[in-house]
Amino acid sequence: MSHRAHLFSLRICHALRESLAEGYNRRKLMKDLLAGVTVGIIAIPLAMALAIASGVPPQYGLYTAIIAGFVIALTGGSRFSISGPTAAFVVILYPIALKYGLSGLLLASVLAGVMLVAMALFRLGRLIEYIPESVTLGFTSGIAIVIVILQLKDFFGLPLEALPEHFADKIWLLVQTMPQAGWASVLVASTTLLVMIGWRRLKTPVPPHLPALLVGTLLGMLLLHFGADLATVSSRFSYLTSDGSLAAGVPPYLPYFDWPWNRPGPDGVALSFSWQLAKDLLAAAFAIAMLGAIESLLCAVVLDNASGRRHSANSELLGQGLGNIITPFFGGITATAALARSSANFNAGAQSPVAGMVHALVVLLALLLLTPLLAYIPMAALAALLVMVAWGMSEAPKAVHLLKTAPRSDVLVFMVCLLLTVILDMVIAITAGILLATLLFMKDIAAMTKVTDISKNRKQVEQPLPAGWKVLKISGPLFFAAADRIFAEIGLLSAQQRGLLLYMDGVPLLDAGGLAALEKLRAQCRKQQVELLIADLQFQPLKTLAKAGVQPEPGILTFYPTLREALEQLYARQSSPLN
């Protein structure tokens, strides 16, 4: 199938069907099993940490990795992508969880899933191409900063239940409580962070966060043994057992079906579903859907470059949408493709989406068998893990390179997106960034459209023109941002002339704004009795004029297929005794 066909195709289970059609054997299955186990082990602590960072208990992150990880791998369009909770969503999900609780978060995820399916059905898989790099780098860098700020509470062991919604309030509260930092939390977080940084330099196939979490957990257990004050998963979270008693840590239960709005709300009481609630969550759901689309398609493109394969963008959006519709009914939060886990999957030798499904089953086994051990993980160690994840997703070297080398317009867009993401929210940041980038792009393109007097250029105008005539060459698109200026300049020249010949072979585009400006020029020429000749129109401007019903007007407006024919007509007039 061609690259273009991959971009526009839409079918459920595209990646799996394509992998099986190529021939699937025992050797490929063994490679998928090994890759799935590897990435499943990586996903367990990440899923817990990202759920906590999003404002919900850790088991909901595991549910997400299990359900979404399986469903999206099964139904999606990218064969190596691994889906689950990701750091990029934290900045959106945390305020929703704070205001609406788990039930509101799950409902927003379902709405986002519906939007993703709609994007797939409308073949919007190529939308990633229309988002400038300055925008994506700006909001990912901003998200990274927000994630770090959210982790400071646990990194330093600050005595805070939760952080306020607004950026300034967060910073002020953190500054006020920083003198109360717990030395045990700082020690565990710093040790975990240092092990992760040091482990990367060893360049072993074992991911750095696994040994780092192991060291952080062992250090935490030692400190707790000696009476240190240190928060762990078991001390922070609890659940009801089957006999109604309260137990600490992560429940070793399978995810179960329930309506999203029946889950705990902001005060622990389930929300009642209403259309007003759905309307209130629409903006957040749209942000989730847009970010999910961007993240999943960016991830798929990176994997394509590494593997030489081609994903189906629309099928991937369909899989992501189905995953986000189904997962919340089993308690899972928003999911999308995670680049770090997907890259680990590919590097571990994955051959097909079967590896992604195996990864989900590995997380499921961990939920059933390893929850007593997961309960010992210190919150400070998970905070350090997310600080490292934030650094990775910030793409700091790329951002610094952009600041040093990119045009000022791109730097402005980057800074606006970054600051708005940090100070306000990502919806405003992406909207403002794309609008600003679009306006600056139109300004640059409009500046490229020029009008030049070539009347004395003997390469193009071989003979002197009749008195009172000029030949003007227009170069560049005549769209609304440029046409008024160009035709206004021509209008000023027309006042002293008998006629103007507009040479338009360099005009690739004429839009409604350009058409209106041309009509205004024709009206001015008619009033001043100035003749207007137009030569060498390209196909699109010619089609626009024909569709608008613009007709030649004797003595006012005439069209010629080439510049030579128009000039020959002028030269003939000059030699005519009547002229």
Side-chain angles (χ1 to χ4, degrees), residues 450-454 460 471-475 501 503 505-506:
K450 295 178 181 177
V451 57
T452 310
D453 187 346
I454 60 168
Q460 293 172 299
V471 180
L472 304 176
K473 179 177 174 61
I474 304 175
S475 305
L501 169 53
Y503 177 35
D505 79 322

Side-chain angles (χ1 to χ4, degrees), residues 84-360:
T86 62
F89 279 127
V90 169
V91 68
I92 309 176
L93 304 188
Y94 182 78
I96 301 172
L98 203 64
K99 188 172 182 180
Y100 296 100
L102 176 65
S103 55
L105 186 55
L106 299 185
L107 182 56
S109 299
V110 173
L111 293 172
V114 172
M115 292 178 191
L116 284 165
V117 170
M119 287 182 198
L121 294 175
F122 284 105
R123 305 297 199 276
L124 298 181
R126 296 186 65 187
L127 62 87
I128 188 71
E129 295 179 10
Y130 300 100
I131 299 177
E133 186 177 45
S134 53
V135 174
T136 56
L137 269 181
F139 76 72
T140 51
S141 298
I143 289 168
I145 293 169
V146 173
I147 291 170
V148 171
I149 290 170
L150 291 173
Q151 299 318 302
L152 293 179
K153 175 175 73 75
D154 287 328
F155 194 101
F156 290 99
L158 302 177
L160 297 170
E161 287 296 318
L163 291 174
E165 184 177 347
H166 299 294
F167 172 73
D169 297 335
K170 281 190 189 81
I171 298 300
W172 179 238
L173 186 59
L174 288 168
V175 170
Q176 282 184 312
T177 54
M178 198 56 75
Q180 301 173 53
W183 66 269
S185 293
V186 174
L187 180 60
V188 169
S190 302
T191 302
T192 306
L193 199 58
L194 288 171
V195 172
M196 273 191 283
I197 294 168
W199 195 267
R200 285 179 184 274
R201 296 181 179 177
L202 299 177
K203 297 184 178 177
T204 70
V206 180
H209 72 266
L210 294 179
L213 274 180
L214 181 60
V215 170
T217 302
L218 291 173
L219 177 59
M221 291 171 69
L222 182 66
L223 292 172
L224 285 169
H225 178 72
F226 287 103
D229 183 17
L230 182 68
T232 63
V233 170
S234 62
S235 69
R236 179 72 60 84
F237 300 101
S238 59
Y239 63 96
L240 286 173
T241 62
S242 54
D243 61 4
S245 60
L246 203 63
V250 180
Y253 305 145
L254 290 170
Y256 61 91
F257 179 89
D258 199 0
W259 299 107
W261 46 89
N262 287 344
R263 305 277 181 172
D267 52 1
V269 179
L271 294 174
S272 57
F273 177 77
S274 66
W275 289 114
Q276 186 57 47
L277 175 62
K279 281 173 64 178
D280 292 344
L281 290 168
L282 271 180
F286 178 73
I288 291 170
M290 286 300 298
L291 183 57
I294 294 166
E295 284 282 302
S296 60
L297 296 182
L298 273 175
C299 180
V301 168
V302 171
L303 293 169
D304 282 355
N305 293 336
S307 65
R309 302 283 185 174
R310 284 290 175 265
H311 72 286
S312 166
N314 294 310
S315 300
E316 179 63 7
L317 288 183
L318 179 62
Q320 294 289 338
L322 292 173
N324 280 286
I325 291 171
I326 295 168
T327 302
F329 287 92
F330 294 89
I333 59 174
T334 309
T336 191
L339 183 55
R341 275 161 275 169
S342 301
S343 298
N345 182 46
F346 173 72
N347 292 330
Q351 300 293 304
S352 76
V354 171
M357 291 184 265
V358 171
H359 130 271

